[in-house]
Amino acid sequence: MPTGADGDPGNRDAGSGLPAPPRRRAHRILTASTTRAEKLRALRGLGALGGLAGVIVALMLLPTACTAGVGARDTARWFDSDPVNLTTSGVPQRSTILAADGSKIATFFYQNRVDVPLNKIAPVARTAVLAIEDSRFYEHGAIDLQGTLRALASNLSSGQVTQGGSGITQQYVKNLLLTQADNDEEREAAKEVTTARKVRELRYAVAVEEKFSKDEILRRYLNIAYYGDGAYGIEAASRHYFSKHASQLDLPEAALLAGIIRYPYAYDPTRHPGEARKRRDTVLDRMAALGWIDAAKAAEAKRRPIGLKIDNIRSGCVSSRAPFFCDYVQREILTNPVFGKTAKDREKLLKRGGLTIRTTMDPRAQKAAQRAVDRHVPPKNSAHKAAAEAMVEPGTGEIKAMVVDRALGPDKERGKTWINFAADASHGSSIGMQAGSTFKAFTLAAALDEGMPFGTRLMAPRAYTPVGFRNCDGDRVGDPNASLRNAADGEGGRQFSLVTGTHHSVNTFFLALEKEVGLCDTVRMAERLGMKQANGKPLEQYPAFTLGFNPVSPLRLAAAYAAFGARGEYCKPIAIKSVKDAAGHRLKVPPRDCEQVLDEDVADAVNYVLQGVLTKGTARGMGLGRPAAGKTGTVDDFSAAWFAGYTPDLASAVWVGDPRGGYRHPMGNLCMDGRCYGAVFGATIPAPIWQQSMSGALRDTAPSSFHRPPSHYFSKGSGEDRVKVPDVRGMKLKDAVAKLRAAGFTTNIGAQVASDQYPKGTVAEMSPAPGPAEPGTTITLRASRGPDRPEQPGDPEGPDGPLPPRPPATIPPLPGDPARPPSP
């Protein structure tokens, strides 16, 4: 895009290295060999030039002409007035997306430009541009009379346009009109070679000179000019070609950039280094001829090689270190009305506004999540599987990480995809994936919200016929001919409590619980926690709702589970913390939107149950070494697998599946990159990804604890399965305590008792007696002191060795000790 001297082919410096422009056989316009078409074109060109000459002369005379008539006066006013359709703002600048710590995630631009003040441009760079483009800039007004007449005379004498006469102000106006063109028609109008365009530019130039100082016009010109190879403005050009700021340019570098402006493509040093160097030397010679630098200095600079140090700045998310989070932020700006009324306004703001967008992304969490998904599901894995994860902070909704195990790019290339599997369709094109048993947490929350204690027990048959359900419209839903069964990670045919049914992820138990609670109440609970389908539609309501047939995104699921960690406060996910425009002014951003959707006691109860999934349930062994809770999810026929888990500080949801279609490409017998898993459950791949990523994200973060739920939830016990208390009577206390602890019970040593059956020092009584009891029950043991006769010397042994001697009878007995016989 040529930007100098109206883009006309004139003003070529001698020794530029460019081929001479095509010349006519003679300087006369018409010759015997001139064709009729050439004659017509020449006459039209001279007519335009003649008209232009007349206009220029008239415009030069206007300011000093006598006000002899109304027409002349009005014409002068028209010319001097500030054109209403010219704005000197809005020059495209690049926008930058930053992580929460200020590190750069990506850059967006329509034109790669960084606007800088004049004092941030090296003086030698300003001098070089003035020397080659408009050495009399500070001496003439909007129109350089000498330069214009010189170019006009040259053009008339040659019969064609060979020389331009535009000064820096006129070049700035032309660039401004071209940059602000919104469509092809406006762009063509800004480039057309006509008298009308020239008059319009001259008028605008006068307005600009009236409005701004010479220094300000020069600054704007240096920031708007095109320097080739995608670099707009001298700061972006300096960074691109030399990897330094414009304030750091030296003489040969400044001369190189100044020389590019006239013909950016022809003098592009990355494409035509020889021509660029010759042009640089021409600028140096011009500076020396004007006396602005010493001839010796110019000669020394000419001996220097170009010495490029290219720094390519790519626009968009493809090259970002967090491509899918970047893509989410981009789509948020392009779709959210807070950033503009129309899609066109929002795109213009992003690509032209020079924005600084500070986001919520935590680089440490992002890096940990990316490493985890790439380790367990490599981008180009042999099974063509994919994984995605989203991390959300409880209590704020801030998205801390968002990853997919592939690069952002065309799906036809292996290991790439344009689809952000971690987000909804509105922010990533994904239609979502069935969530599986992770939806059971919503049924659990609904039951606890209705006051059901942990020990509530329901029969879980081996098969369940879904009848008797009503949706939120009161319609009966269900299929009396269907038979829903337990997944391989569940079991049936007996009773389960809220606790054990969740730990074992029993499908038929949760179908029975959903019926007990009510399908609509379960759906409403999920909706309160922000859940909806990834395509934006409401959740579908059928009995299998609790089994997770609705397609959702990891981001929404992570935000819902984050509400449990925040003790019932749900926050809509947000990715943008602040936005500043090019002038540093803060723009409006989507606000934090949080609401207490669950009582704290209910959330505490959910957390109590879901913690057990990591210690004794389907994901046992996947803990973090700190308080954590979660739920596995395995979709029908192993078409996908999930894990959603959280601490009070961070929540995450992980999906693993096949982008080609989970039911067509299930994970029932998965081998990937030489490693075989058999059937893939939520605990097989998603849970290890979650464990690794959460451990990395929370590294160096002090652990936080969950709150103990209220006592009324324990009104029917802890909800744990009843197990048999082993009979330890007759065993020494130490051995008995060890056996009970190994069986999951705690112990208490009670008072000794007389016993004819059990030897002294062994367990004579235990309470509760051997038989069914809940794990964790405290068993009180009482040792035998032998037959009921006066004590003999020597004391029985306690669990850790001989018991201490009894105190004298004058000392009051210890609590729990049997009454002692009186002293003799």
Side-chain angles (χ1 to χ4, degrees), residues 469-767:
F469 291 84
R470 291 183 182 271
N471 63 22
C472 292
D473 292 330
D475 301 328
R476 290 185 179 275
V477 291
D479 183 359
N481 298 315
S483 180
L484 301 177
R485 296 181 177 273
N486 293 304
D489 58 351
E491 51 190 290
R494 65 184 182 90
Q495 284 193 337
F496 292 88
S497 70
L498 293 187
V499 173
T500 56
T502 303
H503 292 175
H504 293 276
S505 195
V506 184
N507 286 353
T508 56
F509 170 82
F510 272 94
L511 287 164
L513 182 62
E514 182 184 59
K515 186 175 181 180
E516 186 79 14
V517 172
L519 171 60
C520 182
D521 287 352
T522 300
V523 172
R524 291 284 183 257
M525 175 58 69
E527 291 175 341
R528 284 157 62 182
L529 291 164
M531 295 307 300
K532 60 182 177 181
Q533 294 187 70
N535 60 13
K537 295 181 180 179
L539 298 168
E540 293 189 350
Q541 303 176 27
Y542 296 101
F545 180 90
T546 190
L547 306 183
F549 69 84
N550 275 283
V552 300
S553 68
L555 178 61
R556 282 201 179 274
L557 195 62
Y561 275 60
F564 296 142
R567 304 190 72 195
E569 184 182 26
Y570 171 74
C571 298
K572 291 182 179 179
I574 57 172
I576 299 173
K577 299 180 80 169
S578 67
V579 176
K580 291 182 180 180
D581 63 16
H585 302 131
R586 283 185 173 270
L587 304 182
K588 187 177 180 181
V589 299
R592 173 182 163 183
D593 188 358
C594 298
E595 181 183 358
Q596 191 74 31
V597 298
L598 277 180
D599 288 344
E600 290 183 349
D601 291 349
V602 176
D604 293 340
V606 172
N607 299 337
Y608 172 83
V609 177
L610 294 186
Q611 285 182 83
V613 173
L614 293 166
T615 57
K616 58 192 78 172
T618 53
R620 56 187 172 274
M622 290 291 116
L624 304 176
R626 63 171 69 207
K631 183 69 189 73
T632 54
T634 305
V635 184
D636 284 350
D637 299 328
F638 305 104
S639 57
W642 290 75
F643 188 83
Y646 57 97
T647 72
D649 304 300
L650 189 63
S652 167
V654 178
W655 163 83
V656 175
D658 199 308
R660 300 170 297 175
Y663 287 104
R664 287 187 293 116
H665 304 278
M667 298 186 291
N669 188 22
L670 178 66
C671 287
M672 182 167 58
D673 292 348
R675 182 176 180 180
C676 292
Y677 298 90
V680 175
F681 299 93
T684 308
I685 300 177
I689 292 175
W690 177 86
Q691 183 185 51
Q692 180 183 336
S693 61
M694 289 284 285
S695 297
L698 293 171
R699 189 179 65 252
D700 301 328
T701 300
S704 301
S705 298
F706 294 111
H707 291 72
R708 181 172 175 79
S711 59
H712 67 81
Y713 284 112
F714 295 93
S715 61
K716 292 186 178 181
S718 68
E720 300 286 352
D721 278 343
R722 297 173 69 85
V723 295
K724 185 177 181 180
V725 178
D727 190 348
V728 296
R729 288 172 296 186
M731 297 176 62
K732 289 187 177 182
L733 278 176
K734 184 176 183 180
D735 295 335
V737 168
K739 186 171 183 177
L740 288 169
R741 287 178 179 172
F745 299 98
T746 58
T747 58
N748 177 50
I749 307 302
Q752 292 180 344
V753 294
S755 174
D756 294 329
Q757 181 179 1
Y758 297 104
K760 183 170 34 177
T762 65
V763 177
E765 292 182 3
M766 51 188 297
S767 178

Side-chain angles (χ1 to χ4, degrees), residues 93-94 111-122 125 129 218-228 230-249 257 261 309 311 313:
Q93 298 186 53
R94 69 190 191 192
Q111 294 178 349
N112 179 21
R113 177 183 286 106
V114 181
D115 199 86
V116 290
L118 199 61
N119 63 5
K120 295 294 184 182
I121 301 172
V129 171
L218 178 60
R219 183 195 75 80
R220 288 169 175 261
Y221 173 70
L222 293 172
N223 279 297
I224 201 174
Y226 181 50
Y227 292 82
Y232 291 81
I234 196 165
E235 175 69 13
S238 181
R239 295 187 193 181
H240 174 62
Y241 290 119
F242 304 114
S243 297
K244 61 171 62 175
H245 294 289
S247 60
Q248 301 169 314
L249 291 169
L257 296 184
I261 296 175
K309 190 178 180 182
D311 180 15
I313 301 295

Side-chain angles (χ1 to χ4, degrees), residues 162 303 612:
T162 61
R303 286 193 293 270

Side-chain angles (χ1 to χ4, degrees), residues 402-427:
M402 181 178 289
V403 301
V404 175
D405 72 321
R406 302 187 176 192
L408 186 64
D411 296 80
K412 62 183 180 181
E413 296 183 32
R414 190 178 175 192
K416 294 184 178 181
T417 182
W418 288 121
I419 300 174
N420 185 353
F421 296 113
D424 284 356
S426 61
H427 287 71

